[in-house]
Amino acid sequence: MNDTEREVHDAARRAKDAAADLAPMSRADKDEALAMVADALVAEAASIVAANAEDLDRARAAGETEAYLDRLALTEERVSGVADAVRAIAELPDPVGEVVFGSTLPNGLELRQTRVPLGVVGIIYEGRPNVTADAAALCLKSGNAALLRGSSSAYSSNVRIVEVIRGALEKTGVPVDAVQLVPGSGRDSAQALMGARGLVDVLIPRGGANLIQAVVRESTVPVIETGAGNCHVYIDEHADLDRAVSIAVNAKAQRVSVCNAAETLLVHERIAERFLPRFLREIGDLGVTVHGDDRVRAFDDRAVPATEDDWTTEYLSMDLAVKVVDTLDEAMAHIRAYSTGHTEAIVTDSQAAARRFTSRVDSAAVMVNASTRFTDGGEFGFGAEIGISTQKLHARGPMGLREMTSTKYIVTGDGQVR
């Protein structure tokens, strides 16, 4: 075991002890701690923004894109928003202790299945430092200890945010080691976390496809996979034109650097002549580059030719792949071939088309006449989310507090023996 592994495993042991103390704590104690964390974030916003400026300077020097810088940047207003998200989590019902199922067996044993924390949750994430506070708050509320491993690009921001959170926890009954930044900023620290089986109960990667797949391949700790968002919007032949344009523009351009932004637009050929000229004009005026097939490019000479890679790409930028399809079935076949299982949307006034789409498209969220941008823990009423799970085991979709718990059976008897 090298020095990095030793430091990471020592942090995991401290987290395991903290998790044991945190698990039985009352909702009132956890909510009080979260309120103090939120207040501390606001009070220290200037120092957090100053630390973030160091990260932004390094990112600019490295030639990172504007979309990347947007994901990385913190302002005092954004820090205030992060604090509001922490307060919102405090106001949510506590899932710990909830009875999922209960019965009395024929032999008189009382059986209860109750929600319990996962334990020690390791989180490996990229870019956005607001994830540090969101993840810590969700873990605390659900009774879990958090081991946070952010990207090296946000290292200064993450260090300062965790210092502020731990400083607030020192004034509460919550163990300080319930929130820790994983020691080190190199790849070896992430590898040590992935190898801490037995000390870390579950690992959640949050970021781009390369990060997620690396964690899935290399981790010996059980992984909840949060997926990349190659999200699709399909404009059906029965779509209302105004609604279709509004939803498609919002899904792509409202904020391009997030996983629930649309990356591919599919348009039924029977509505293409009415829809595409207007949509391409509006989306082009916003600065979005359209990567279109031949039928799309016939409507706007600003569109560039789409390649096979465009159908598989999560751009996270001012780019959009657009294709004309002949049928609803062709649209669904395209989605099956290229989707990452995050979010897909249909815009249609046909109930039959909507039912067919929702029953046959297999993604974590399927929208009917609504933007893909709504796939979000806050929008779903869960508070801040730990990520969007695209797998089918344990959790799927926005992972809120309930998804941060497991269950155990409590069996009460009166001397029964088998």
Side-chain angles (χ1 to χ4, degrees), residues 188-408:
D188 55 346
S189 69
Q191 289 177 319
L193 181 61
M194 289 187 275
R197 188 179 182 92
L199 297 173
V200 178
D201 294 290
V202 66
L203 195 57
I204 302 173
R206 176 168 169 166
N210 290 338
L211 167 74
I212 293 163
Q213 289 308 309
V215 174
V216 169
R217 286 193 308 268
E218 299 177 26
S219 179
T220 62
V221 175
V223 175
I224 298 176
E225 184 176 350
T226 61
N230 188 13
C231 302
H232 297 74
V233 175
Y234 165 60
I235 309 300
D236 185 53
E237 62 177 308
H238 302 292
D240 175 87
L241 188 61
D242 290 340
R243 177 186 289 170
V245 172
S246 174
I247 289 172
V249 169
N250 179 266
K252 173 71 256 183
Q254 194 265 341
R255 190 175 180 189
V256 299
S257 62
V258 289
C259 64
N260 56 18
E263 305 292 18
T264 297
L265 178 70
L266 305 172
V267 182
H268 196 289
E269 59 91 15
R270 290 181 182 171
I271 200 173
E273 191 170 337
R274 292 184 293 124
F275 171 81
L276 279 172
R278 180 173 162 187
F279 170 78
L280 293 172
R281 181 175 63 254
E282 290 194 22
I283 204 74
D285 289 348
L286 292 173
V288 173
T289 298
V290 169
H291 302 248
D293 67 5
D294 290 342
R295 288 192 283 184
V296 171
R297 292 173 60 222
F299 290 101
D300 192 332
D301 57 11
R302 291 180 295 181
V304 301
T307 67
E308 180 67 17
D309 287 344
D310 286 306
W311 310 127
T312 64
T313 299
E314 182 187 22
Y315 294 112
L316 300 175
S317 63
M318 296 289 275
D319 294 89
L320 177 68
V322 184
K323 180 179 182 179
V324 174
V325 295
D326 292 330
T327 64
L328 168 59
D329 284 344
E330 183 184 346
M332 293 189 296
H334 182 101
I335 291 170
R336 280 196 301 273
Y338 298 106
S339 170
T340 55
H342 191 297
T343 302
E344 326 302 342
I346 181 173
V347 184
T348 185
D349 284 344
S350 165
Q351 291 187 7
R355 283 195 299 269
R356 186 171 178 81
F357 190 85
T358 57
S359 65
R360 292 176 175 263
V361 170
D362 187 19
S363 290
V366 181
M367 306 288 183
V368 178
N369 294 327
S371 171
T372 59
R373 288 284 288 115
F374 285 107
T375 304
D376 174 85
E379 294 293 335
F380 281 14
F382 304 159
E385 83 222 358
I386 208 77
I388 309 290
S389 172
T390 56
Q391 66 180 29
K392 298 184 182 181
L393 296 179
H394 178 70
R396 195 179 195 196
M399 291 182 60
L401 292 174
R402 261 185 198 161
E403 288 71 29
M404 296 299 291
T405 64
S406 181
T407 64
K408 71 178 178 185

